[in-house]
Amino acid sequence: MPQVVIFMGSISDEEKMRPCSDLLKQLGVDHVFTVSSAHRTPERTARLVEEYEKAGAQVFICAAGLAAHLAGAVAAKTIRPVLGVPLTASSLGGMDALLATLQMPPGFPVGTLALDKVGAKNAAWMAAQIIALHDETVADRIRVARQGFKDEVEEAAARL
């Protein structure tokens, strides 16, 4: 049973979103990583949201570029948290996707992360933190990882 579902609007988004899936694996968070488009396959997107929600998914992560309506389309179909990762895919440098992901109507929020790989990683961290509210094992893994970040800074400072 996936706890988190990662949707990408296109297979060409995989390189930017792979770090999200990799980090969820490292944290032991069961997830699905797939392609579904708000525009090209709206019926598939709606069906998958319903199926995964019934199967127990707790968080949806949606990554898209250009008009970036995927996160909004998913938010319209679920009351589970939806995290959006805008992707750079046009000459606008991702600003189009960022604004499309940010500007949701009241009642259908999307937690919007940074662009591309940084956003992908932070979406995984945010999803894991949401899961950790009710899963102490995941919470412990997050604590260990954060301690590792602290240790790296201390070690770097000591080497200077």
Side-chain angles (χ1 to χ4, degrees):
M1 169 188 72
Q3 297 167 293
V4 176
V5 177
I6 305 167
F7 288 132
M8 301 176 294
S10 171
I11 192 64
S12 65
D13 302 330
E14 182 181 3
E15 180 184 341
K16 292 176 184 170
M17 288 306 294
R18 177 60 61 188
C20 183
S21 178
D22 291 345
L23 183 54
L24 288 172
K25 284 178 190 170
Q26 290 173 15
L27 293 171
V29 175
D30 189 30
H31 66 284
V32 171
F33 186 32
T34 192
V35 177
S36 197
S37 170
H39 300 109
R40 293 182 297 270
T41 60
E43 297 84 4
R44 172 183 163 75
T45 301
R47 178 178 50 80
L48 289 175
V49 169
E50 182 178 343
E51 288 173 6
Y52 286 126
E53 188 173 296
K54 284 181 182 176
Q58 296 298 302
V59 181
F60 291 88
I61 297 172
C62 301
L66 302 171
H69 292 138
L70 183 55
V74 171
K77 297 293 183 183
T78 184
I79 62 168
R80 302 279 199 263
V82 177
L83 305 177
V85 180
L87 302 176
T88 55
S90 76
S91 61
L92 297 176
M95 185 60 74
D96 47 352
L98 178 63
L99 293 175
T101 307
L102 279 172
Q103 296 290 70
M104 294 301 301
F108 299 89
V110 170
T112 306
L113 287 298
L115 294 166
D116 300 332
K117 289 182 179 182
V118 170
K121 289 177 184 178
N122 276 336
W125 284 113
M126 181 76 65
Q129 287 177 225
I130 292 167
I131 299 301
L133 290 170
H134 303 288
D135 186 329
E136 196 58 35
T137 301
V138 173
D140 287 340
R141 290 179 183 138
I142 294 169
R143 287 185 195 98
V144 167
R146 285 195 171 184
Q147 184 60 52
F149 297 149
K150 291 177 189 178
D151 294 345
E152 288 175 9
V153 171
E154 293 292 338
E155 291 168 12
R159 285 192 305 270
L160 277 177

